[in-house]
Amino acid sequence: MKSSNFALKSLNLFILIVFLSGGGVEAVSYNFTSSNVSLERFRNFTGAHYMDCGSAPLCGVVVLESGYGEGAYHHGDPCVHGLWPETGNYGSSECIAPSSSSADPSSTASCYDDLSFMSHEWEKHGRCAGVRDADDFFTQLCGLVSSPLSILKPLKQNNVQLQDMAQKLKSSGYPVYYVDMSSDSQIYLSACAGKDGQWVLADTSDFSSKC
C-alpha cells in the first residue's frame, strides 16, 4: 500500500471530471499527465462515453462553451462550439452526407462570429449530420442553443461555477450529457435526429422515441 500511495502522490496532475447522473452531480476522479482533458481526450484515455443512438439514425452532442475556458475558449459570455454526430469510436450514429450541398458556409450564422471556425465545424462534423447543407446545419444549431445560452449568460455574469451552470441546465430540463472540467470548460448536451436530418435535444434514453 505504501508504494501505491507513493505512486499516486508522484503523479504530475490530478484532473477532476464531473458527470451529471440521476438527481445530482457525481464526481469521478482520474489521474492524467495532461492538463487539458476534453471529452474526446477522455475517451481516448478510457474508452468511456460511447453514445448509443438506439434506433435513431443520428445522435451526437451539442457543445456549449461556458466562457471560463482558457485561450480560444475564454469569452465574456457563454457561446456555442458545435454539433458533433457521434460516429465511429464515439458512438453508433450514422454519418449521413448533406442531401443538397456539401459546400462550406458563405456567411456567419446568428450564433457565430467567425466564418473560418464555422467552416471547420462544418467540414469536421456537419457533413455527417444528415442536413441539407451548411445553412441548414447552422440554422438548426443556433436554434438548439438559443434557450440554453440564455440561461447560462446571466449565470456567467454572476460568476456561477461550471458545475452549477450545468446543474441549472439539467434542472431546467436540458439533457446534460457531460461536463468538461478541463481548461476548455464546456457543457455537452445530447441530441438526435431522424433520417430527415432534423435535430432535437434529447436524453440518450429518449433517442429511439424522439428520433
Side-chain angles (χ1 to χ4, degrees):
M1 292 299 295
K2 290 183 179 179
S3 61
S4 297
N5 289 336
F6 175 79
L8 287 173
K9 291 178 181 178
S10 67
L11 289 169
N12 293 331
L13 184 66
F14 177 76
I15 299 224
L16 181 66
I17 296 176
V18 175
F19 301 90
L20 291 180
S21 64
V25 176
E26 176 187 354
V28 182
S29 59
Y30 290 89
N31 292 296
F32 297 105
T33 57
S34 168
S35 62
N36 185 7
V37 182
S38 65
L39 179 56
E40 182 172 355
R41 293 180 179 89
F42 173 66
R43 287 171 169 147
N44 290 338
F45 278 113
T46 67
H49 274 263
Y50 179 89
M51 180 176 277
D52 185 354
C53 296
S55 62
L58 293 159
C59 67
V61 289
V62 172
V63 185
L64 307 175
E65 298 182 16
S66 69
Y68 287 123
E70 298 177 2
Y73 294 89
H74 184 74
H75 312 283
D77 292 322
C79 62
V80 61
H81 187 148
L83 166 58
W84 306 345
E86 297 293 74
T87 61
N89 293 331
Y90 299 136
S92 63
S93 180
E94 298 178 30
C95 176
I96 301 178
S99 59
S100 179
S101 171
S102 60
D104 284 351
S106 58
S107 60
T108 53
S110 61
C111 58
Y112 283 91
D113 59 9
D114 186 336
L115 185 58
S116 64
F117 183 68
M118 285 176 58
S119 294
H120 162 78
E121 288 296 302
W122 169 248
E123 292 167 6
K124 187 173 182 180
H125 304 289
R127 288 176 178 168
C128 273
V131 295
R132 294 191 306 275
D133 52 24
D135 182 64
D136 182 27
F137 178 73
F138 289 108
T139 297
Q140 288 195 54
L141 177 55
C142 291
L144 290 173
V145 302
S146 177
S147 292
L149 288 178
S150 71
I151 292 173
L152 294 180
K153 183 176 180 178
L155 299 178
K156 172 68 163 48
Q157 292 173 343
N158 286 288
N159 299 313
V160 174
Q161 294 305 299
L162 180 65
Q163 302 99 310
D164 295 324
M165 294 171 79
Q167 188 62 55
K168 178 62 176 179
L169 286 180
K170 186 177 176 66
S171 65
S172 298
Y174 291 98
V176 175
Y177 180 68
Y178 179 82
V179 180
D180 176 4
M181 296 292 292
S182 76
S183 59
D184 295 348
S185 191
Q186 301 182 115
I187 299 171
Y188 293 59
L189 306 179
S190 52
C192 63
K195 289 289 188 181
D196 59 0
Q198 295 300 303
W199 286 82
V200 296
L201 297 176
D203 286 312
T204 55
S205 59
D206 293 331
F207 283 170
S208 296
S209 61
K210 291 190 174 182
C211 299

